Amino acid sequence: MTKIDGECQLYGEKVIRKETDGFPELSIASCHKGVKRFVVNMIDTPGYGQKEDAAAWRSALRGEIERRMILRHETESEVETRLFGEHQRLQRELKKIRDERVHVVLYFFDGHHCKQQDLEACIELQELTNVMPILAKGDQFVQLEMSEVKKTLIRNANAHGVQFFDVRGALGDMEDKHLK
């Protein structure tokens, strides 16, 4: 004989219990090595033939299940409200922290020459932050010459897997956000 919740007694495979009144809860937890894997909550219901007709029994059972769902929802809402307040407080604290990250590296390339070591440095840096190419002494080029140097630099960078920071794309994203 094993006692279950102090009210039921187990004999072989039959459970003999006192007459159910109300909706007492039974919980079964599955644990493995002391860690709770899941919990199943059940309610014991009075049989509908004992004191009530089937419609009244279903209505009472439905009411109890809905009551428990509402209680769970209210409890979750209270926790979410508390956590939201804590989250807002944390956000305010985070804003006080000085951001010391490097957001972009302005990488100066030597005019007509795109050296292998420059491309390797850009590949390494792009894993950490944005890299924006700058042509050193770019004001010394005529417009056609500047265009050719840019094309050569971009072609060499693409061939080596270098991805430069896209200023136009970033500005376009900012404009899109402001338009919304």
Side-chain angles (χ1 to χ4, degrees):
M1 176 173 76
T2 307
K3 293 221 180 225
I4 301 174
D5 279 357
E7 291 201 12
C8 303
Q9 295 179 343
L10 182 65
Y11 292 97
E13 292 195 16
K14 282 190 171 180
V15 176
I16 303 169
R17 60 187 145 92
K18 299 175 185 173
E19 188 175 304
T20 303
D21 202 22
F23 297 98
E25 182 177 293
L26 303 164
S27 292
I28 298 172
S30 171
C31 298
H32 179 69
K33 295 183 180 179
V35 177
K36 207 181 276 187
R37 297 168 105 181
F38 66 88
V39 176
V40 176
N41 293 324
M42 299 173 280
I43 54 175
D44 190 4
T45 63
Y48 62 84
Q50 296 172 357
K51 296 180 183 174
E52 304 179 46
D53 66 9
W57 176 81
R58 283 194 310 269
S59 177
L61 179 57
R62 181 179 179 86
E64 178 64 14
I65 292 170
E66 287 174 347
R67 184 190 71 78
R68 289 171 181 261
M69 289 174 67
I70 290 168
L71 179 64
R72 170 64 185 217
H73 178 71
E74 289 171 350
T75 304
E76 285 176 350
S77 293
E78 289 171 10
V79 170
E80 286 173 354
T81 301
R82 184 175 38 83
L83 291 176
F84 182 69
E86 289 175 18
H87 177 74
Q88 287 181 318
R89 185 183 55 77
L90 287 172
Q91 290 299 334
R92 284 191 300 272
E93 290 297 316
L94 287 173
K95 285 180 183 178
K96 294 177 185 176
I97 296 172
R98 183 172 180 269
D99 186 0
E100 298 198 24
R101 296 175 292 179
V102 175
H103 296 101
V104 65
V105 169
L106 303 177
Y107 197 93
F108 286 81
F109 285 88
D110 182 24
H112 291 288
H113 308 293
C114 181
K115 299 176 188 164
Q116 180 68 29
Q117 67 186 18
D118 290 330
L119 295 173
E120 289 172 2
C122 288
I123 289 170
E124 228 175 286
L125 291 169
Q126 76 185 11
E127 293 176 12
L128 304 170
T129 190
N130 297 297
V131 177
M132 185 182 300
I134 305 290
L135 290 175
K137 301 178 187 172
D139 58 340
Q140 295 179 358
F141 296 109
V142 294
Q143 194 167 0
L144 182 62
E145 198 176 22
M146 174 66 83
S147 179
E148 288 302 315
V149 170
K150 282 182 179 179
K151 286 178 186 174
T152 302
L153 176 62
I154 291 170
R155 189 173 35 253
N156 286 338
N158 287 339
H160 288 87
V162 175
Q163 297 175 349
F164 293 125
F165 176 68
D166 180 14
V167 177
R168 288 187 183 125
L171 291 175
D173 289 347
M174 287 173 52
E175 288 173 6
D176 289 346
K177 288 178 185 173
H178 292 296
L179 292 175
K180 291 181 180 178

